[in-house]
């Protein structure tokens, strides 16, 4: 609620200062009250606050040979610690907190001038067009109430599919923000493992050490990323709730006959109590106990090799 209201207020103020008409039909009008913000609007809100604006001006004033703007650095810092979760909203389906965001792409039609919500026109907030920063950020901490209903079942009617499941029991309750941190870590890892932003480039055009990869993935990104052009990892669906998330991930494989086929794996993570219909071993749980369940469904061959490769 606060993000939407502040973004609208700052856009209106900016347009008034430049004698431009205020247009309400933007990203937040169709996605109001939900936990997604554009990179451009995040910088706009920071600039509007006297404290952050003054801190940024001082950083520029007292720094030598600065290669990145203070607000761009702040975005990287929030990504690093899982507060901002980069997300690709051009996938087939992205449902976050009950609202559909899928198939949002940055096109000329979606840009509404310098104050557009897509992040395309970003010179005004000092984000270079060559910067590989993500355009959309998901904030798991702002997820509202809501639970998955019929998104998952452990059963499968296909003989070539199987379901793997692992659970962790918390007998004395769970740490605060557990699912928020898990969701942030997993979605960040997925974004950087499947997107083009694994590496950044310095101002001389050469590859530089990444600054965007979150802590959970920093040492493993090159090991887990497909190392062949024959294997391309795609995220088909992302569904998130306060206590659960669902992912559908596909990988293209080149068959011996030259045909390209996609192997799809579904992953579901859920924090439940013993009353949930998705809880496993609920008979061994007492009042107040919680169970974190991670399950995945995919091809049964080679001991579920395809499932493990996606996880």
């Amino acid at each position: 609620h606060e993000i939407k209201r502040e973004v609208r207020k700052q856009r209106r103020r900016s347009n008034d200062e430049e004698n431009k008409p205020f247009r309400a039909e933007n990203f937040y009008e169709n996605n109001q009250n939900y936990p997604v913000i554009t990179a451009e609007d995040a910088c706009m809100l920071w600039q509007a606050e006297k404290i952050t604006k003054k801190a940024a001006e001082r950083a520029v004033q007292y720094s030598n040979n600065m290669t990145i703007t203070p607000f761009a650095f702040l975005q990287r810092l929030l990504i690093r610690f899982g507060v901002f979760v980069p997300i690709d909203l051009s996938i087939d389906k992205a449902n976050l907190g009950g609202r559909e965001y899928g198939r949002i792409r940055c096109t000329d039609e979606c840009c509404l001038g310098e104050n557009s919500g897509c992040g395309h026109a970003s010179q005004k907030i000092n984000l270079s067009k060559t910067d590989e920063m993500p355009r959309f950020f998901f904030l798991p901490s702002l997820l509202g109430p809501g639970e998955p209903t019929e998104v998952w079942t452990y059963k499968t009617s296909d003989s070539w599919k199987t379901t793997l499941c692992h659970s962790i029991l918390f007998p004395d309750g769970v740490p605060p923000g557990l699912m928020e941190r898990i969701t942030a870590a997993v979605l960040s890892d997925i974004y950087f493992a499947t997107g083009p932003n694994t590496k950044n480039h310095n101002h001389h055009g050469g590859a530089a050490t990444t600054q965007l990869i979150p802590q959970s993935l920093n040492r493993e990104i090159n090991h887990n990323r497909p190392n062949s052009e024959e294997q391309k990892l795609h995220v088909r669906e992302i569904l998130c709730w306060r206590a659960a998330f669902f992912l559908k991930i596909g990988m293209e494989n080149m068959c011996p006959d030259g045909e390209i086929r996609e192997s799809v794996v579904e992953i579901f993570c859920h924090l439940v109590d013993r009353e949930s219909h998705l809880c496993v071993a609920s008979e061994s749980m007492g009042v107040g106990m919680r169970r974190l369940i991670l399950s995945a469904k995919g091809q049964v061959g080679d001991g579920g090799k395809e499932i493990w490769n996606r996880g």
Side-chain angles (χ1 to χ4, degrees), residues 121-132:
S122 56
Q123 289 183 330
K124 189 172 182 180
I125 47 104
N126 295 324
L127 282 178
S128 169
K129 289 184 179 180
T130 60
D131 199 332
E132 294 183 4

Side-chain angles (χ1 to χ4, degrees), residues 3-131:
I3 288 180
K4 177 203 169 187
R5 182 164 54 248
E6 287 299 317
V7 167
R8 286 176 56 85
K9 183 174 71 174
Q10 295 305 325
R11 283 183 179 168
R12 187 182 297 275
R13 178 181 300 173
S14 177
N15 287 344
D16 289 343
E17 292 174 354
E18 300 176 12
N19 294 321
K20 293 181 179 180
F22 177 74
R23 299 184 62 179
E25 55 274 14
N26 54 51
F27 177 81
Y28 295 95
E29 287 305 303
N30 295 324
N31 300 281
Q32 57 182 340
N33 301 338
Y34 287 90
V36 172
I37 190 171
T38 68
E40 181 186 12
D41 286 339
C43 291
M44 180 182 67
L45 294 179
W46 291 330
Q47 280 189 325
E49 291 293 328
K50 292 182 180 179
I51 295 178
T52 51
K53 183 179 181 180
K54 189 174 183 179
E57 292 173 349
R58 287 184 175 180
V60 173
Q61 180 181 357
Y62 295 107
S63 297
N64 295 322
N65 301 321
M66 180 179 288
T67 60
I68 184 174
T69 65
F71 291 148
F73 172 78
L74 182 55
Q75 284 189 356
R76 286 166 165 80
L77 190 67
L78 293 175
I79 293 172
R80 178 77 174 178
F81 289 98
V83 179
F84 276 10
V85 180
I87 190 166
D88 179 9
L89 296 183
S90 66
I91 63 176
D92 294 340
K93 187 174 183 179
N95 190 299
L96 310 174
R99 177 57 63 94
E100 179 61 41
Y101 288 89
R103 295 188 177 275
I104 295 178
R105 293 176 173 84
C106 180
T107 63
D108 292 338
E109 289 77 9
C110 79
C111 290
L112 304 178
E114 290 183 345
N115 291 324
S116 70
C118 69
H120 190 189
S122 56
Q123 289 183 330
K124 189 172 182 180
I125 47 104
N126 295 324
L127 282 178
S128 169
K129 289 184 179 180
T130 60
D131 199 332

Side-chain angles (χ1 to χ4, degrees), residues 5 60 66 107 126 135 151 165-167 185 205 209 218-219 228 231 240 245 251 273 294 308:
R5 182 164 54 248
V60 173
M66 180 179 288
T107 63
N126 295 324
R135 289 189 176 128
V151 70
C165 181
H166 179 71
S167 70
T209 303
N218 196 33
R219 298 181 179 179
S228 170
Q231 292 185 318
C240 288
F245 64 81
M251 179 177 284
D273 56 25
L294 177 63
W308 289 108

